[in-house]
Amino acid sequence: MTDNHQAIPYAYLIPLPTETFSRSIRLNPGVSTIGRSQSNTIYLSHGSASRNHARISLIDGQYVLSDLKSQNGTYVNKKRIKNISLKHNDQIVLGDRSFLFSLKDPEHDEPDLIYISSEDTVSLQKDGIQLPDMIERKAENAAQTFLDPNKGRKKISAKKTVEAHSRLLLLYQLSDKLRYIKKADEILSMGIDLIFGAFPSAERGVAMLRSSTKDPLEAHIVKYRHKKPRGDAIPVSQTIINKVIKEKLALVSRDALEDSRFESGSSIVVHNLTSIICVPLISGKRVIGVLHLDTSQILDAFTQNDLEFAAAVANEMAITIDNSRLQQEAVQNERMAAIGLTITNVAHNIKNLQHINKGVEELMSMHLSDIADEKIQETWQLLRNYLKQIKNLSDNMLNFTRVHPVKLELIDINSMVLKYRDFFKQKLTGKGNKLVVDIDPNLTKWMMDESGLKRALHNLVVNAYDAVKEKDNGRITLSTFIDPQNHLNIGVSDNGCGIEPDRVNNVFQLFFTTKGTKGSGLGLPMVQRFVESLGGTITVKSKVDEGTTFNLNFPWIEGN
């Protein structure tokens, strides 16, 4: 007799990041509840999870994830959901906990390709050991040779011709897909996916970007063909990276098979026995990033043909990323102009109403002062607080649209920070919180708009206080130092609540706030505009429950 029942599809939740010691969780057939209450099937101890956060149900052979009206929401692949059918390799975020949904047993099956975006995955190496050499080519020429495989070659085999045409088709497909992608990380992920598919021997890859030629490279996407070993970091040669960026070169480890096209190519020494490809991401005349690949499969090492394909893919990614940035800047500029005009009109109307409200408020306070009703007094005080918030919001709106003239003068930055230390301490500390100053004693005077810097620091310190005020032994640190590029750096750090990873990149957006109704979403955009008006940059790093650091970086202005 035939058994018509289908096998029950087991599924697993794999805690992320995958290198943690947490084991995968098997989802039993039926219903699995998830939350902070210990009565749930899956218990999450972190406070960011609701008591009854979500539910996973097996319905008609399909696992369905449902949010149970949780406070912080349930996300699948970075999108907030209410109900969704799960697919293999979906990424689930519940509060501050992340999981990978898998239909394979991670304890027995070969792990899938893994993406990691972490500074700890790349180790910049200083070279000094003589090992195999590398062949270099101008990146533009390498990419062009791939697009025209017969150019400059005496003869090309039928096998190489088929391979070249196959890869050219892949590149066309990538170009078509990238037209609809706007985020840099998605563009990089798609490009590395393509390369790993074309290079079966590729074991590790890292794509690095920088915002400008003055900024350092940052690892955005790191990919492993196999599961990342705990504590492993990809060694990347500092000499190679510098050469690729400065000279716009595409580099590949020299293969045992010689290629006449590279007979005149020069070579440099590298530090390990792996086969390496390193190509720049060039847009126009600027290098905006670097793509680095390696493999330990020396018998299937990278070839010059692989280098040309990687250079062509890098070129496609660079153009797409740069075009996306330009489009975003254009949209942002138009949006800011329209918003500025709207804000000015709205703020002035609110100001006019406030003049009327002020008289009414004073008259009401005078009449209510004789009424000994605690409930009425509490309600009236609440209304006055709301009126004050409206006034502060309109003041901030007008301040944002107002063009503050930049007045540059040589000032002692350390003295200014120390001068306002006592002011900040009196206004902002409490419950054992501390304001600490860590200044560079060798810092010289700097050309600066003092009033603008005061406003910027005030905004940042107030934000830091809001982050630590509910915490015992909170700590706010003001720091100054000069970096190797001879830039002035002023930091404001706290050990407060931190900002969620999916929100930290939005803090400089107009009207975005993490304070709910207590924030206007104008403070940080004003700080950013001030810093950029002096040719500087502002960056933020944050971890939930550990704290946040804002760093203001000012270049040495000509004429100092």
Side-chain angles (χ1 to χ4, degrees):
M1 182 175 179
T2 305
D3 187 358
N4 292 322
H5 293 287
Q6 287 185 323
I8 297 174
Y10 284 109
Y12 303 83
L13 291 183
I14 304 171
L16 295 176
T18 54
E19 60 266 41
T20 63
F21 290 102
S22 302
R23 297 179 63 85
S24 59
I25 304 166
R26 191 175 83 168
L27 299 174
N28 294 319
V31 177
S32 298
T33 58
I34 308 170
R36 192 158 39 87
S37 172
Q38 295 189 20
S39 62
N40 286 289
T41 313
I42 301 172
Y43 166 60
L44 302 179
S45 60
H46 202 280
S48 62
S50 298
R51 289 182 58 81
N52 298 295
H53 197 108
R55 177 180 63 236
I56 298 179
S57 309
L58 181 62
I59 303 174
D60 296 330
Q62 181 75 45
Y63 283 91
V64 177
L65 173 63
S66 304
D67 181 76
L68 301 180
K69 298 182 179 180
S70 63
Q71 181 176 353
N72 292 323
T74 299
Y75 293 81
V76 175
N77 300 330
K78 299 182 180 181
K79 294 183 179 179
R80 190 164 185 167
I81 61 93
K82 291 184 178 179
N83 291 282
I84 192 171
S85 296
L86 293 171
K87 302 184 297 297
H88 180 59
N89 275 350
D90 275 347
Q91 186 169 337
I92 302 170
V93 177
L94 310 165
D96 288 330
R97 295 298 306 274
S98 298
F99 300 89
L100 189 72
F101 177 79
S102 177
L103 293 173
K104 298 179 181 179
D105 185 350
E107 302 296 329
H108 299 94
D109 290 317
E110 182 73 10
D112 294 313
L113 298 175
I114 296 167
Y115 287 109
I116 305 166
S117 293
S118 168
E119 296 176 354
D120 299 331
T121 58
V122 175
S123 173
L124 201 61
Q125 305 286 313
K126 292 185 177 181
D127 307 304
I129 303 174
Q130 184 171 347
L131 284 165
D133 58 1
M134 297 190 78
I135 296 173
E136 63 183 48
R137 289 196 66 191
K138 285 292 184 181
E140 182 180 359
N141 294 341
Q144 189 60 43
T145 303
F146 170 76
L147 295 173
D148 186 3
N150 293 310
K151 184 178 181 180
R153 296 186 181 178
K154 296 178 181 179
K155 186 178 180 181
I156 182 171
S157 67
K159 180 180 179 181
K160 292 297 183 182
T161 301
V162 172
E163 180 186 81
H165 287 171
S166 175
R167 289 182 174 183
L168 188 60
L169 179 59
L170 289 174
L171 186 63
Y172 285 149
Q173 292 172 347
L174 175 67
S175 179
D176 186 59
K177 291 178 181 178
L178 289 181
R179 288 188 300 161
Y180 307 101
I181 307 298
K182 301 300 180 184
K183 294 182 179 179
D185 283 2
E186 292 182 25
I187 294 169
L188 295 174
S189 294
M190 196 171 290
I192 290 186
D193 271 342
L194 184 78
I195 291 175
F196 266 58
F199 301 172
S201 64
E203 294 176 335
R204 301 180 298 192
V206 55
M208 294 173 273
L209 286 181
R210 58 181 183 178
S211 300
S212 71
T213 55
K214 298 179 181 179
D215 295 322
L217 286 170
E218 181 180 349
H220 277 243
I221 297 296
V222 178
K223 186 170 182 176
Y224 287 77
R225 186 170 295 278
H226 307 292
K227 185 175 181 180
K228 174 183 178 289
R230 187 174 293 116
D232 178 65
I234 298 177
V236 177
S237 163
Q238 185 171 334
T239 299
I240 292 177
I241 295 295
N242 289 341
K243 194 171 184 69
V244 164
I245 291 176
K246 291 178 181 179
E247 301 181 35
K248 300 178 182 176
L249 296 176
L251 303 176
V252 62
S253 303
R254 188 183 294 276
D255 188 37
L257 299 177
E258 292 297 329
D259 189 321
S260 60
R261 289 177 300 120
F262 293 88
E263 287 177 354
S264 60
S266 59
S267 62
I268 64 172
V269 174
V270 296
H271 71 287
N272 57 36
L273 288 172
T274 58
S275 181
I276 296 171
I277 281 180
C278 190
V279 295
L281 275 68
I282 304 174
S283 181
K285 296 182 179 181
R286 298 179 298 109
V287 177
I288 65 173
V290 171
L291 178 63
H292 185 281
L293 306 162
D294 69 23
T295 179
S296 60
Q297 306 299 318
I298 300 301
L299 295 179
D300 193 12
F302 296 134
T303 66
Q304 293 90 345
N305 292 333
D306 295 335
L307 176 70
E308 293 164 2
F309 180 65
V313 173
N315 182 62
E316 193 68 34
M317 291 192 296
I319 293 174
T320 306
I321 290 172
D322 206 40
N323 286 342
S324 177
R325 287 176 175 176
L326 291 174
Q327 290 175 11
Q328 291 172 9
E329 288 176 7
V331 171
Q332 181 70 2
N333 289 338
E334 292 178 6
R335 180 171 175 263
M336 291 298 289
I339 287 176
L341 182 61
T342 303
I343 287 176
T344 302
N345 291 333
V346 171
H348 277 298
N349 287 330
I350 293 176
K351 275 283 188 184
N352 293 335
L353 292 173
Q354 282 179 333
H355 288 304
I356 300 173
N357 290 345
K358 188 64 178 175
V360 174
E361 181 184 349
E362 291 175 353
L363 183 64
M364 183 67 74
S365 295
M366 183 177 65
H367 284 297
L368 293 179
S369 61
D370 298 328
I371 300 177
D373 188 310
E374 185 176 344
K375 190 68 175 178
I376 290 178
Q377 294 295 339
E378 287 180 0
T379 303
W380 175 237
Q381 186 58 45
L382 185 63
L383 287 173
R384 295 188 70 182
N385 289 339
Y386 285 142
L387 290 172
K388 184 178 179 180
Q389 288 183 26
I390 293 172
K391 178 182 182 302
N392 291 338
L393 176 60
S394 64
D395 288 344
N396 284 337
M397 291 166 70
L398 286 173
N399 196 36
F400 180 81
T401 57
R402 188 178 297 119
V403 178
H404 297 279
V406 176
K407 183 181 179 182
L408 292 176
E409 54 185 335
L410 277 173
I411 66 171
D412 188 330
I413 300 295
N414 285 345
S415 296
M416 194 205 79
V417 171
L418 291 171
K419 180 180 178 181
Y420 287 93
R421 175 180 56 184
D422 293 337
F423 168 79
F424 288 138
K425 279 186 175 180
Q426 294 172 5
K427 295 289 183 180
L428 302 177
T429 57
K431 293 182 67 177
N433 294 334
K434 293 182 179 180
L435 179 64
V436 180
V437 174
D438 179 17
I439 58 178
D440 181 354
N442 299 318
L443 184 62
T444 59
K445 288 187 176 181
W446 203 268
M447 194 70 78
M448 179 59 65
D449 178 358
E450 185 173 1
S451 62
L453 182 58
K454 288 177 185 176
R455 288 192 297 268
L457 289 180
H458 186 79
N459 262 304
L460 295 175
V461 174
V462 168
N463 285 349
Y465 173 70
D466 288 337
V468 303
K469 65 182 179 182
E470 300 299 330
K471 183 175 184 177
D472 293 329
N473 302 317
R475 183 184 181 94
I476 301 172
T477 302
L478 292 175
S479 61
T480 64
F481 67 93
I482 298 293
D483 65 22
Q485 286 74 41
N486 202 28
H487 289 191
L488 168 66
N489 287 259
I490 303 176
V492 179
S493 304
D494 66 70
N495 64 343
C497 56
I499 307 170
E500 293 84 354
D502 60 335
R503 307 183 75 187
V504 71
N505 292 328
N506 300 325
V507 296
F508 298 112
Q509 290 184 8
L510 202 58
F511 298 124
F512 179 85
T513 178
T514 60
K515 301 179 184 179
T517 58
K518 296 181 180 179
S520 65
L522 292 170
L524 288 177
M526 284 192 288
V527 174
Q528 183 184 45
R529 187 171 65 178
F530 161 72
V531 175
E532 292 180 348
S533 72
L534 298 180
T537 56
I538 178 172
T539 56
V540 57
K541 292 184 179 181
S542 186
K543 288 187 177 181
V544 174
D545 294 331
E546 292 186 19
T548 302
T549 296
F550 284 91
N551 188 71
L552 314 183
N553 182 291
F554 298 97
W556 181 261
I557 299 176
E558 293 295 332
N560 269 0

